Amino acid sequence: TTQQKMARTHAGAFFYFAILQVLRCNAFGNGAPESACESMLPGHKGYQPQPSPSPYNISVSAKSFKNGQPINVTITGQNYQGLLLEAQMYGIKSSLGSWMMPPLNTKFLKCSGNPKGAITHSNTEIKTASTVYTWMPPETNCPPVITFKATVAKLKSQYWVNLTSEVLWRDQTATCGAEMFMWSVI
């Protein structure tokens, strides 16, 4: 019947649209893949990182860190659609600490085995310099120095990789240091 043919046509069109949506999501519009954690490359097929200086900077709320004290991080500059943001020991490509509740339009990304080791975008909605990401240092084995690393995408075709914040030193009152010394009198 005509109604059955129309129903099949509508079902086919719906199925085709659903497949297109899945393919669109696989283009990383819904966040960086875990494979980007070390390289910081987003995997935007057909596009390369921008060779020009980045219009973005990573701003942090403190000059030092210690366990139990959150650090607020912002990406300053132009509005952006995508990002990958991690805290790393200076010179080591492994994420460190944990991110707190991701802001709107972002989510956690498992990096270095840590389910909250990085933040990435959850869609391509605009993020601004007022978007605040909150990081918590590890409770144990804090390195002496960390930096925040980011890849920021203005658009899928226009992104900058390996942006680095200023160095943050472990606060002298931190109790999470890897090197704990015990002095004794002999």
Side-chain angles (χ1 to χ4, degrees):
T1 70
T2 304
Q3 285 182 330
Q4 288 174 329
K5 286 181 185 178
M6 286 181 62
R8 281 193 300 264
T9 301
H10 286 273
F14 177 77
F15 180 74
Y16 178 75
F17 178 74
I19 294 295
L20 284 177
Q21 290 299 98
V22 168
L23 291 173
R24 185 175 152 257
C25 286
N26 286 337
F28 307 123
N30 61 344
E34 280 185 47
S35 61
C37 291
E38 283 191 36
S39 69
M40 300 299 285
L41 292 170
H44 296 173
K45 292 188 190 304
Y47 301 105
Q48 296 297 316
Q50 296 298 301
S52 61
S54 173
Y56 302 101
N57 289 303
I58 302 172
S59 296
V60 296
S61 63
K63 298 282 185 202
S64 64
F65 69 96
K66 67 179 183 177
N67 48 320
Q69 185 173 17
I71 304 284
N72 290 329
V73 181
T74 56
I75 306 296
T76 59
Q78 303 172 4
N79 292 345
Y80 56 99
Q81 291 182 344
L83 85 153
L84 171 58
L85 179 61
E86 299 180 49
Q88 298 179 348
M89 186 168 93
Y90 186 75
I92 306 291
K93 294 183 176 185
S94 177
S95 69
L96 185 68
S98 303
W99 294 91
M100 301 195 59
M101 180 58 80
L104 187 64
N105 301 313
T106 66
K107 64 181 183 179
F108 295 122
L109 178 64
K110 181 179 178 181
C111 285
S112 305
N114 180 348
K116 297 179 180 179
I119 293 283
T120 188
H121 55 285
S122 59
N123 58 47
T124 56
E125 294 296 317
I126 297 295
K127 288 90 178 153
T128 68
S130 65
T131 304
V132 178
Y133 308 96
T134 304
W135 177 79
M136 285 296 284
E139 287 299 318
T140 59
N141 298 320
C142 287
V145 181
I146 67 155
T147 60
F148 291 95
K149 300 277 285 204
T151 292
V152 181
K154 181 177 181 179
L155 304 165
K156 179 180 178 179
S157 61
Q158 195 175 19
Y159 62 91
W160 290 263
V161 299
N162 286 316
L163 307 181
T164 305
S165 72
E166 293 181 9
V167 167
L168 279 76
W169 293 90
R170 184 179 62 222
D171 190 278
Q172 63 185 4
T173 63
T175 58
C176 60
E179 59 280 345
M180 293 293 172
F181 298 103
M182 297 197 60
W183 299 92
S184 62
V185 177
I186 299 179

